[in-house]
Each structure stands twice: as C-alpha cells, then as structure tokens.
mmCIF file of all heavy atoms in Angstrom:
data_model
loop_
_atom_site.group_PDB
_atom_site.id
_atom_site.type_symbol
_atom_site.label_atom_id
_atom_site.label_comp_id
_atom_site.label_asym_id
_atom_site.label_seq_id
_atom_site.Cartn_x
_atom_site.Cartn_y
_atom_site.Cartn_z
ATOM 1 N N ARG X 323 16.268 16.545 7.945
ATOM 2 C CA ARG X 323 15.598 15.959 9.098
ATOM 3 C C ARG X 323 15.521 14.436 8.971
ATOM 4 O O ARG X 323 15.417 13.893 7.876
ATOM 5 C CB ARG X 323 14.172 16.509 9.207
ATOM 6 C CG ARG X 323 14.047 17.839 9.936
ATOM 7 C CD ARG X 323 12.582 18.048 10.234
ATOM 8 N NE ARG X 323 12.336 19.243 11.016
ATOM 9 C CZ ARG X 323 11.714 20.306 10.568
ATOM 10 N NH1 ARG X 323 11.283 20.346 9.330
ATOM 11 N NH2 ARG X 323 11.491 21.341 11.362
ATOM 12 N N GLN X 324 15.522 13.762 10.108
ATOM 13 C CA GLN X 324 15.348 12.314 10.134
ATOM 14 C C GLN X 324 13.907 11.963 9.769
ATOM 15 O O GLN X 324 12.964 12.649 10.175
ATOM 16 C CB GLN X 324 15.682 11.793 11.526
ATOM 17 C CG GLN X 324 15.639 10.281 11.658
ATOM 18 C CD GLN X 324 15.996 9.836 13.067
ATOM 19 O OE1 GLN X 324 16.555 10.594 13.839
ATOM 20 N NE2 GLN X 324 15.656 8.592 13.382
ATOM 21 N N ARG X 325 13.740 10.917 8.985
ATOM 22 C CA ARG X 325 12.403 10.494 8.584
ATOM 23 C C ARG X 325 11.617 10.002 9.788
ATOM 24 O O ARG X 325 12.141 9.351 10.688
ATOM 25 C CB ARG X 325 12.486 9.377 7.544
ATOM 26 C CG ARG X 325 13.049 9.794 6.203
ATOM 27 C CD ARG X 325 12.130 10.702 5.427
ATOM 28 N NE ARG X 325 10.863 10.080 5.100
ATOM 29 C CZ ARG X 325 10.648 9.332 4.012
ATOM 30 N NH1 ARG X 325 11.643 9.109 3.168
ATOM 31 N NH2 ARG X 325 9.462 8.808 3.785
ATOM 32 N N ASN X 326 10.321 10.292 9.783
ATOM 33 C CA ASN X 326 9.417 9.851 10.838
ATOM 34 C C ASN X 326 9.199 8.332 10.719
ATOM 35 O O ASN X 326 8.704 7.859 9.693
ATOM 36 C CB ASN X 326 8.091 10.599 10.713
ATOM 37 C CG ASN X 326 7.112 10.247 11.810
ATOM 38 O OD1 ASN X 326 7.396 9.416 12.674
ATOM 39 N ND2 ASN X 326 5.953 10.880 11.785
ATOM 40 N N PRO X 327 9.545 7.542 11.745
ATOM 41 C CA PRO X 327 9.392 6.078 11.646
ATOM 42 C C PRO X 327 7.952 5.650 11.354
ATOM 43 O O PRO X 327 7.733 4.700 10.590
ATOM 44 C CB PRO X 327 9.856 5.583 13.023
ATOM 45 C CG PRO X 327 10.725 6.670 13.557
ATOM 46 C CD PRO X 327 10.166 7.936 13.017
ATOM 47 N N GLU X 328 6.986 6.326 11.953
ATOM 48 C CA GLU X 328 5.585 5.977 11.722
ATOM 49 C C GLU X 328 5.196 6.236 10.271
ATOM 50 O O GLU X 328 4.485 5.435 9.644
ATOM 51 C CB GLU X 328 4.692 6.771 12.670
ATOM 52 C CG GLU X 328 3.205 6.488 12.553
ATOM 53 C CD GLU X 328 2.847 5.056 12.931
ATOM 54 O OE1 GLU X 328 3.665 4.373 13.587
ATOM 55 O OE2 GLU X 328 1.745 4.614 12.547
ATOM 56 N N TYR X 329 5.689 7.358 9.732
ATOM 57 C CA TYR X 329 5.412 7.689 8.328
ATOM 58 C C TYR X 329 6.039 6.635 7.408
ATOM 59 O O TYR X 329 5.414 6.193 6.431
ATOM 60 C CB TYR X 329 5.958 9.081 8.015
ATOM 61 C CG TYR X 329 5.671 9.565 6.618
ATOM 62 C CD1 TYR X 329 4.521 10.293 6.338
ATOM 63 C CD2 TYR X 329 6.562 9.303 5.569
ATOM 64 C CE1 TYR X 329 4.254 10.746 5.055
ATOM 65 C CE2 TYR X 329 6.306 9.749 4.289
ATOM 66 C CZ TYR X 329 5.152 10.469 4.037
ATOM 67 O OH TYR X 329 4.881 10.913 2.761
ATOM 68 N N LYS X 330 7.270 6.235 7.718
ATOM 69 C CA LYS X 330 7.954 5.219 6.911
ATOM 70 C C LYS X 330 7.199 3.889 6.955
ATOM 71 O O LYS X 330 7.089 3.184 5.940
ATOM 72 C CB LYS X 330 9.383 5.022 7.427
ATOM 73 C CG LYS X 330 10.321 6.179 7.131
ATOM 74 C CD LYS X 330 11.663 6.015 7.819
ATOM 75 C CE LYS X 330 12.417 4.806 7.313
ATOM 76 N NZ LYS X 330 13.760 4.693 7.948
ATOM 77 N N ARG X 331 6.668 3.542 8.134
ATOM 78 C CA ARG X 331 5.938 2.288 8.276
ATOM 79 C C ARG X 331 4.684 2.283 7.408
ATOM 80 O O ARG X 331 4.415 1.325 6.673
ATOM 81 C CB ARG X 331 5.564 2.078 9.745
ATOM 82 C CG ARG X 331 4.888 0.733 10.037
ATOM 83 C CD ARG X 331 4.461 0.653 11.473
ATOM 84 N NE ARG X 331 3.429 1.615 11.780
ATOM 85 C CZ ARG X 331 2.128 1.427 11.502
ATOM 86 N NH1 ARG X 331 1.725 0.319 10.898
ATOM 87 N NH2 ARG X 331 1.244 2.358 11.826
ATOM 88 N N VAL X 332 3.923 3.393 7.450
ATOM 89 C CA VAL X 332 2.695 3.482 6.659
ATOM 90 C C VAL X 332 3.031 3.512 5.165
ATOM 91 O O VAL X 332 2.351 2.875 4.347
ATOM 92 C CB VAL X 332 1.883 4.726 7.066
ATOM 93 C CG1 VAL X 332 0.648 4.886 6.176
ATOM 94 C CG2 VAL X 332 1.472 4.642 8.530
ATOM 95 N N ALA X 333 4.103 4.244 4.803
ATOM 96 C CA ALA X 333 4.517 4.322 3.397
ATOM 97 C C ALA X 333 4.931 2.952 2.876
ATOM 98 O O ALA X 333 4.641 2.597 1.717
ATOM 99 C CB ALA X 333 5.662 5.313 3.243
ATOM 100 N N SER X 334 5.606 2.167 3.729
ATOM 101 C CA SER X 334 6.031 0.829 3.324
ATOM 102 C C SER X 334 4.819 -0.077 3.077
ATOM 103 O O SER X 334 4.792 -0.832 2.089
ATOM 104 C CB SER X 334 6.926 0.229 4.409
ATOM 105 O OG SER X 334 7.292 -1.090 4.090
ATOM 106 N N ARG X 335 3.832 0.020 3.956
ATOM 107 C CA ARG X 335 2.609 -0.773 3.769
ATOM 108 C C ARG X 335 1.894 -0.394 2.476
ATOM 109 O O ARG X 335 1.389 -1.251 1.736
ATOM 110 C CB ARG X 335 1.672 -0.568 4.961
ATOM 111 C CG ARG X 335 2.173 -1.204 6.256
ATOM 112 C CD ARG X 335 1.324 -0.791 7.436
ATOM 113 N NE ARG X 335 -0.070 -1.183 7.223
ATOM 114 C CZ ARG X 335 -1.085 -0.703 7.939
ATOM 115 N NH1 ARG X 335 -0.853 0.214 8.881
ATOM 116 N NH2 ARG X 335 -2.313 -1.114 7.704
ATOM 117 N N LYS X 336 1.890 0.904 2.190
ATOM 118 C CA LYS X 336 1.234 1.372 0.959
ATOM 119 C C LYS X 336 1.984 0.856 -0.269
ATOM 120 O O LYS X 336 1.367 0.386 -1.245
ATOM 121 C CB LYS X 336 1.180 2.897 0.950
ATOM 122 C CG LYS X 336 0.582 3.479 -0.324
ATOM 123 C CD LYS X 336 0.730 4.997 -0.370
ATOM 124 C CE LYS X 336 0.331 5.531 -1.731
ATOM 125 N NZ LYS X 336 0.549 6.992 -1.841
ATOM 126 N N ASP X 337 3.333 0.939 -0.252
ATOM 127 C CA ASP X 337 4.137 0.496 -1.400
ATOM 128 C C ASP X 337 3.933 -0.993 -1.684
ATOM 129 O O ASP X 337 3.881 -1.419 -2.853
ATOM 130 C CB ASP X 337 5.620 0.779 -1.140
ATOM 131 C CG ASP X 337 5.944 2.258 -1.143
ATOM 132 O OD1 ASP X 337 5.118 3.031 -1.682
ATOM 133 O OD2 ASP X 337 6.992 2.646 -0.598
ATOM 134 N N LYS X 338 3.835 -1.785 -0.619
ATOM 135 C CA LYS X 338 3.622 -3.227 -0.803
ATOM 136 C C LYS X 338 2.301 -3.496 -1.518
ATOM 137 O O LYS X 338 2.216 -4.371 -2.393
ATOM 138 C CB LYS X 338 3.641 -3.924 0.548
ATOM 139 C CG LYS X 338 5.019 -4.010 1.183
ATOM 140 C CD LYS X 338 4.961 -4.686 2.538
ATOM 141 C CE LYS X 338 6.354 -4.761 3.183
ATOM 142 N NZ LYS X 338 6.296 -5.387 4.533
ATOM 143 N N ARG X 339 1.264 -2.755 -1.146
ATOM 144 C CA ARG X 339 -0.039 -2.957 -1.771
ATOM 145 C C ARG X 339 -0.058 -2.458 -3.207
ATOM 146 O O ARG X 339 -0.754 -3.001 -4.066
ATOM 147 C CB ARG X 339 -1.125 -2.273 -0.935
ATOM 148 C CG ARG X 339 -1.495 -3.100 0.307
ATOM 149 C CD ARG X 339 -2.125 -2.247 1.398
ATOM 150 N NE ARG X 339 -2.534 -3.082 2.532
ATOM 151 C CZ ARG X 339 -1.677 -3.555 3.446
ATOM 152 N NH1 ARG X 339 -0.372 -3.283 3.328
ATOM 153 N NH2 ARG X 339 -2.119 -4.308 4.451
ATOM 154 N N VAL X 340 0.701 -1.380 -3.494
ATOM 155 C CA VAL X 340 0.792 -0.881 -4.870
ATOM 156 C C VAL X 340 1.455 -1.939 -5.764
ATOM 157 O O VAL X 340 1.001 -2.187 -6.892
ATOM 158 C CB VAL X 340 1.581 0.443 -4.912
ATOM 159 C CG1 VAL X 340 1.896 0.837 -6.351
ATOM 160 C CG2 VAL X 340 0.800 1.561 -4.222
ATOM 161 N N LYS X 341 2.533 -2.546 -5.274
ATOM 162 C CA LYS X 341 3.198 -3.594 -6.048
ATOM 163 C C LYS X 341 2.286 -4.813 -6.245
ATOM 164 O O LYS X 341 2.248 -5.423 -7.325
ATOM 165 C CB LYS X 341 4.479 -4.027 -5.334
ATOM 166 C CG LYS X 341 5.573 -2.962 -5.332
ATOM 167 C CD LYS X 341 6.802 -3.455 -4.588
ATOM 168 C CE LYS X 341 7.883 -2.385 -4.568
ATOM 169 N NZ LYS X 341 9.091 -2.828 -3.803
ATOM 170 N N LYS X 342 1.571 -5.147 -5.177
ATOM 171 C CA LYS X 342 0.667 -6.300 -5.267
ATOM 172 C C LYS X 342 -0.459 -6.049 -6.253
ATOM 173 O O LYS X 342 -0.893 -6.951 -6.978
ATOM 174 C CB LYS X 342 0.102 -6.592 -3.875
ATOM 175 C CG LYS X 342 -0.657 -7.905 -3.780
ATOM 176 C CD LYS X 342 -1.049 -8.184 -2.342
ATOM 177 C CE LYS X 342 -1.784 -9.526 -2.243
ATOM 178 N NZ LYS X 342 -2.190 -9.827 -0.843
ATOM 179 N N LEU X 343 -0.923 -4.763 -6.302
ATOM 180 C CA LEU X 343 -2.011 -4.400 -7.211
ATOM 181 C C LEU X 343 -1.600 -4.588 -8.667
ATOM 182 O O LEU X 343 -2.417 -4.986 -9.516
ATOM 183 C CB LEU X 343 -2.442 -2.947 -6.948
ATOM 184 C CG LEU X 343 -3.537 -2.379 -7.841
ATOM 185 C CD1 LEU X 343 -4.854 -3.161 -7.645
ATOM 186 C CD2 LEU X 343 -3.749 -0.895 -7.565
ATOM 187 N N LYS X 344 -0.329 -4.317 -8.995
ATOM 188 C CA LYS X 344 0.141 -4.431 -10.378
ATOM 189 C C LYS X 344 0.083 -5.875 -10.887
ATOM 190 O O LYS X 344 -0.106 -6.118 -12.088
ATOM 191 C CB LYS X 344 1.567 -3.900 -10.480
ATOM 192 C CG LYS X 344 1.687 -2.403 -10.268
ATOM 193 C CD LYS X 344 3.132 -1.953 -10.375
ATOM 194 C CE LYS X 344 3.266 -0.458 -10.172
ATOM 195 N NZ LYS X 344 4.678 -0.015 -10.247
ATOM 196 N N ASN X 345 0.266 -6.840 -9.964
ATOM 197 C CA ASN X 345 0.298 -8.258 -10.368
ATOM 198 C C ASN X 345 -1.025 -8.983 -10.138
ATOM 199 O O ASN X 345 -1.161 -10.148 -10.517
ATOM 200 C CB ASN X 345 1.413 -8.980 -9.597
ATOM 201 C CG ASN X 345 2.780 -8.386 -9.869
ATOM 202 O OD1 ASN X 345 3.063 -7.999 -10.993
ATOM 203 N ND2 ASN X 345 3.620 -8.313 -8.837
ATOM 204 N N GLU X 346 -1.968 -8.310 -9.488
ATOM 205 C CA GLU X 346 -3.248 -8.959 -9.166
ATOM 206 C C GLU X 346 -4.162 -8.985 -10.391
ATOM 207 O O GLU X 346 -4.299 -7.992 -11.103
ATOM 208 C CB GLU X 346 -3.924 -8.201 -8.013
ATOM 209 C CG GLU X 346 -5.192 -8.847 -7.511
ATOM 210 C CD GLU X 346 -4.962 -10.266 -7.009
ATOM 211 O OE1 GLU X 346 -4.172 -10.458 -6.053
ATOM 212 O OE2 GLU X 346 -5.562 -11.190 -7.627
ATOM 213 N N GLN X 347 -4.807 -10.156 -10.595
ATOM 214 C CA GLN X 347 -5.708 -10.327 -11.728
ATOM 215 C C GLN X 347 -7.182 -10.295 -11.297
ATOM 216 O O GLN X 347 -8.051 -9.925 -12.085
ATOM 217 C CB GLN X 347 -5.406 -11.661 -12.437
ATOM 218 C CG GLN X 347 -3.982 -11.790 -12.949
ATOM 219 C CD GLN X 347 -3.665 -10.758 -14.009
ATOM 220 O OE1 GLN X 347 -4.539 -10.412 -14.828
ATOM 221 N NE2 GLN X 347 -2.423 -10.251 -14.004
ATOM 222 N N ASP X 348 -7.448 -10.653 -10.089
ATOM 223 C CA ASP X 348 -8.825 -10.711 -9.587
ATOM 224 C C ASP X 348 -9.350 -9.288 -9.353
ATOM 225 O O ASP X 348 -8.765 -8.520 -8.568
ATOM 226 C CB ASP X 348 -8.866 -11.523 -8.294
ATOM 227 C CG ASP X 348 -10.296 -11.809 -7.848
ATOM 228 O OD1 ASP X 348 -10.991 -10.836 -7.506
ATOM 229 O OD2 ASP X 348 -10.694 -12.984 -7.839
ATOM 230 N N GLU X 349 -10.469 -8.956 -10.016
ATOM 231 C CA GLU X 349 -11.022 -7.601 -9.928
ATOM 232 C C GLU X 349 -11.513 -7.283 -8.525
ATOM 233 O O GLU X 349 -11.411 -6.144 -8.060
ATOM 234 C CB GLU X 349 -12.166 -7.435 -10.929
ATOM 235 C CG GLU X 349 -11.726 -7.430 -12.376
ATOM 236 C CD GLU X 349 -10.787 -6.261 -12.668
ATOM 237 O OE1 GLU X 349 -10.953 -5.185 -12.039
ATOM 238 O OE2 GLU X 349 -9.879 -6.431 -13.497
ATOM 239 N N GLN X 350 -12.069 -8.284 -7.841
ATOM 240 C CA GLN X 350 -12.569 -8.047 -6.484
ATOM 241 C C GLN X 350 -11.410 -7.721 -5.542
ATOM 242 O O GLN X 350 -11.500 -6.791 -4.720
ATOM 243 C CB GLN X 350 -13.341 -9.273 -5.988
ATOM 244 C CG GLN X 350 -13.993 -9.048 -4.623
ATOM 245 C CD GLN X 350 -14.838 -10.240 -4.187
ATOM 246 O OE1 GLN X 350 -14.969 -11.218 -4.922
ATOM 247 N NE2 GLN X 350 -15.428 -10.144 -3.011
ATOM 248 N N LYS X 351 -10.318 -8.478 -5.651
ATOM 249 C CA LYS X 351 -9.151 -8.208 -4.813
ATOM 250 C C LYS X 351 -8.496 -6.864 -5.175
ATOM 251 O O LYS X 351 -7.952 -6.163 -4.311
ATOM 252 C CB LYS X 351 -8.140 -9.341 -4.958
ATOM 253 C CG LYS X 351 -8.604 -10.654 -4.346
ATOM 254 C CD LYS X 351 -7.534 -11.720 -4.469
ATOM 255 C CE LYS X 351 -7.978 -13.037 -3.822
ATOM 256 N NZ LYS X 351 -6.942 -14.083 -3.936
ATOM 257 N N LYS X 352 -8.556 -6.510 -6.478
ATOM 258 C CA LYS X 352 -8.038 -5.201 -6.893
ATOM 259 C C LYS X 352 -8.784 -4.067 -6.196
ATOM 260 O O LYS X 352 -8.196 -3.082 -5.749
ATOM 261 C CB LYS X 352 -8.159 -5.031 -8.411
ATOM 262 C CG LYS X 352 -7.078 -5.719 -9.211
ATOM 263 C CD LYS X 352 -7.219 -5.357 -10.683
ATOM 264 C CE LYS X 352 -6.093 -5.951 -11.507
ATOM 265 N NZ LYS X 352 -6.203 -5.583 -12.939
ATOM 266 N N GLY X 353 -10.106 -4.219 -6.114
ATOM 267 C CA GLY X 353 -10.908 -3.201 -5.454
ATOM 268 C C GLY X 353 -10.549 -3.044 -3.988
ATOM 269 O O GLY X 353 -10.479 -1.918 -3.458
ATOM 270 N N VAL X 354 -10.320 -4.186 -3.319
ATOM 271 C CA VAL X 354 -9.926 -4.147 -1.906
ATOM 272 C C VAL X 354 -8.571 -3.460 -1.748
ATOM 273 O O VAL X 354 -8.364 -2.625 -0.853
ATOM 274 C CB VAL X 354 -9.878 -5.573 -1.332
ATOM 275 C CG1 VAL X 354 -9.312 -5.552 0.093
ATOM 276 C CG2 VAL X 354 -11.258 -6.210 -1.336
ATOM 277 N N LEU X 355 -7.622 -3.794 -2.633
ATOM 278 C CA LEU X 355 -6.294 -3.185 -2.571
ATOM 279 C C LEU X 355 -6.351 -1.674 -2.819
ATOM 280 O O LEU X 355 -5.672 -0.890 -2.137
ATOM 281 C CB LEU X 355 -5.362 -3.847 -3.592
ATOM 282 C CG LEU X 355 -4.892 -5.267 -3.268
ATOM 283 C CD1 LEU X 355 -4.165 -5.880 -4.455
ATOM 284 C CD2 LEU X 355 -3.983 -5.265 -2.033
ATOM 285 N N ARG X 356 -7.153 -1.264 -3.800
ATOM 286 C CA ARG X 356 -7.290 0.184 -4.077
ATOM 287 C C ARG X 356 -7.856 0.907 -2.862
ATOM 288 O O ARG X 356 -7.433 2.017 -2.521
ATOM 289 C CB ARG X 356 -8.190 0.397 -5.294
ATOM 290 C CG ARG X 356 -7.571 -0.022 -6.617
ATOM 291 C CD ARG X 356 -8.402 0.479 -7.782
ATOM 292 N NE ARG X 356 -7.882 0.001 -9.056
ATOM 293 C CZ ARG X 356 -8.374 -1.037 -9.723
ATOM 294 N NH1 ARG X 356 -9.419 -1.720 -9.221
ATOM 295 N NH2 ARG X 356 -7.847 -1.403 -10.880
ATOM 296 N N SER X 357 -8.813 0.290 -2.201
ATOM 297 C CA SER X 357 -9.404 0.895 -1.005
ATOM 298 C C SER X 357 -8.369 1.018 0.115
ATOM 299 O O SER X 357 -8.289 2.056 0.803
ATOM 300 C CB SER X 357 -10.596 0.053 -0.537
ATOM 301 O OG SER X 357 -11.143 0.580 0.644
ATOM 302 N N GLU X 358 -7.566 -0.033 0.300
ATOM 303 C CA GLU X 358 -6.528 0.005 1.334
ATOM 304 C C GLU X 358 -5.460 1.042 1.005
ATOM 305 O O GLU X 358 -4.961 1.753 1.897
ATOM 306 C CB GLU X 358 -5.903 -1.380 1.482
ATOM 307 C CG GLU X 358 -6.840 -2.410 2.096
ATOM 308 C CD GLU X 358 -6.195 -3.785 2.174
ATOM 309 O OE1 GLU X 358 -5.059 -3.936 1.624
ATOM 310 O OE2 GLU X 358 -6.799 -4.698 2.774
ATOM 311 N N ILE X 359 -5.093 1.146 -0.272
ATOM 312 C CA ILE X 359 -4.078 2.136 -0.696
ATOM 313 C C ILE X 359 -4.583 3.552 -0.432
ATOM 314 O O ILE X 359 -3.847 4.414 0.076
ATOM 315 C CB ILE X 359 -3.728 1.948 -2.184
ATOM 316 C CG1 ILE X 359 -2.953 0.640 -2.381
ATOM 317 C CG2 ILE X 359 -2.914 3.143 -2.704
ATOM 318 C CD1 ILE X 359 -2.764 0.254 -3.838
ATOM 319 N N ALA X 360 -5.841 3.796 -0.762
ATOM 320 C CA ALA X 360 -6.418 5.123 -0.531
ATOM 321 C C ALA X 360 -6.449 5.451 0.957
ATOM 322 O O ALA X 360 -6.163 6.582 1.379
ATOM 323 C CB ALA X 360 -7.816 5.191 -1.127
ATOM 324 N N SER X 361 -6.801 4.460 1.782
ATOM 325 C CA SER X 361 -6.843 4.662 3.228
ATOM 326 C C SER X 361 -5.460 4.950 3.793
ATOM 327 O O SER X 361 -5.277 5.857 4.621
ATOM 328 C CB SER X 361 -7.435 3.414 3.898
ATOM 329 O OG SER X 361 -7.412 3.561 5.306
ATOM 330 N N LEU X 362 -4.458 4.204 3.327
ATOM 331 C CA LEU X 362 -3.081 4.443 3.783
ATOM 332 C C LEU X 362 -2.555 5.791 3.305
ATOM 333 O O LEU X 362 -1.801 6.464 4.016
ATOM 334 C CB LEU X 362 -2.174 3.314 3.277
ATOM 335 C CG LEU X 362 -2.398 1.939 3.932
ATOM 336 C CD1 LEU X 362 -1.625 0.862 3.185
ATOM 337 C CD2 LEU X 362 -1.982 1.965 5.400
#
C-alpha cells in the first residue's frame, strides 16, 4: 500500500525532534522535546 501522506508528515516531525533531542544539552528544552515527541 502507498504510505499515508499525513502519517509521513507527522512521522517526519517526530524524527526531527528525536534527532534534536540527542544533541540538546539544556534540560528544560529536553523536557519540551520529549513532550512534543510523545504528543506526535
């Protein structure tokens, strides 16, 4: 089956935040990113 474009869009947003979380040093920003990842 063809991938759902909406699903791909949300997955892409989640992947970007996961990568950003790996390089983030600020604990407060890490918490925000974890919350956004969980929501996505």
Side-chain angles (χ1 to χ4, degrees):
R323 275 193 176 112
Q324 184 179 343
R325 292 290 298 273
N326 183 359
E328 181 64 17
Y329 183 91
K330 289 172 64 177
R331 185 184 65 81
V332 176
S334 177
R335 290 171 59 195
K336 177 188 171 184
D337 291 342
K338 288 179 180 178
R339 282 158 177 78
V340 170
K341 291 179 181 178
K342 190 174 181 180
L343 178 63
K344 292 180 180 179
N345 300 322
E346 185 59 61
Q347 301 297 324
D348 189 294
E349 291 298 327
Q350 185 176 358
K351 291 183 178 180
K352 280 186 176 181
V354 173
L355 287 171
R356 289 192 184 99
S357 177
E358 291 178 353
I359 291 170
S361 177
L362 290 170

